[in-house]
Amino acid sequence: MNVAEAVATRRSVRAFLDTPVPLETIKRVLDQARMAPSGCNYQPWEAIVLTGAPLKALQDRLSVSERDDPPEYDFSAPSAIDPKYHARLSVLGRHLYGSMGSGRGEKDNREAFARANMVSFGAPVLLLCHFPKAMKEAQWSDTGMWLQTIMLLLRGEGLDSCAQEYMGVYGRSIKDHLGLSDGTLLFCGIAIGHRDPASPANNFERERVPLDENIRFEGF
């Protein structure tokens, strides 16, 4: 698989098979991802990767934990932005929940699906990304590029993923469970495994805006 194919076939997978993922594969991907862009060479990203009994123990902890109030950070979109961004979110919601036959008014079904984040949609591996709270916006950006590099490399290995900002909602519980200090920010998770090809949640059409809606070219 070349880079363009990896980009085109990467998607947020929300239903995984229980097929194990070898440690050697995860290590190979993370070793290659070390070369992701890093301003000032800070390499701010850190992670803990769980599978098997340790992953189950964390999921059991989350099932009885309260959401952080306030959360580690607010990953929701600001209210005072151009309505076009909210429209894009609505498109995603319509396709995602529509693929599963869940209408806007079916609150219980949607809440149950959201809580499936706690078990990473059945993925056998979970990477939990964290870094020191002292890091600023530039280092957050570097970490995002590292995470994207990981997800594309996973596609090259025939694997799938789902980036889970949702894990930040339980940041304090996760940090306490894993022995991370209060000076650490729990940024997100990445669910890793093989997609369930039969799940509607993995097969709805994804939409992106046309290139000229976001990009302007000059001097060509």
Coordinates of all heavy atoms in Angstrom, one line a residue, residues 7 12 62 79 129 164 187 196 201:
V7 N -3.9 7.0 2.9 CA -4.7 8.2 3.2 C -6.1 8.0 2.8 O -7.1 8.3 3.6 CB -4.1 9.4 2.5 CG1 -5.1 10.6 2.7 CG2 -2.7 9.8 3.1
S12 N -12.2 6.5 10.6 CA -12.4 6.2 12.0 C -13.3 5.0 12.1 O -14.5 5.0 11.8 CB -13.1 7.4 12.6 OG -12.3 8.6 12.6
L62 N -13.2 2.5 33.9 CA -13.9 3.6 33.2 C -15.4 3.3 33.3 O -16.2 4.3 33.4 CB -13.5 3.7 31.7 CG -12.1 4.1 31.5 CD1 -11.8 4.2 30.0 CD2 -11.7 5.4 32.2
S79 N -18.8 27.7 20.2 CA -20.1 28.1 19.6 C -20.1 29.2 18.7 O -20.9 29.3 17.7 CB -21.1 28.4 20.8 OG -20.6 29.4 21.6
C129 N -2.3 8.4 24.4 CA -1.3 9.5 24.2 C -1.4 10.5 25.3 O -2.5 11.0 25.6 CB -1.6 10.1 22.8 SG -0.5 11.5 22.4
Q164 N -9.5 8.7 19.5 CA -10.5 8.9 20.5 C -10.2 10.0 21.5 O -9.6 9.9 22.5 CB -10.6 7.6 21.3 CG -11.2 6.4 20.5 CD -11.4 5.2 21.5 OE1 -10.5 4.4 21.8 NE2 -12.6 5.2 22.0
F187 N -4.2 13.1 26.4 CA -4.7 13.8 25.2 C -5.8 13.0 24.5 O -6.8 13.5 24.2 CB -3.5 14.0 24.3 CG -3.8 14.8 23.1 CD1 -4.6 15.9 23.1 CD2 -3.3 14.4 21.8 CE1 -4.9 16.7 22.0 CE2 -3.6 15.2 20.7 CZ -4.4 16.3 20.8
D196 N -14.3 -4.4 11.4 CA -15.4 -5.4 11.1 C -16.0 -4.9 9.8 O -16.7 -3.9 9.7 CB -16.4 -5.4 12.2 CG -17.6 -6.3 12.0 OD1 -17.6 -6.9 10.9 OD2 -18.5 -6.5 12.8
A201 N -21.3 0.9 10.6 CA -20.6 2.1 11.1 C -19.2 2.2 10.4 O -18.6 3.3 10.5 CB -20.4 2.0 12.6

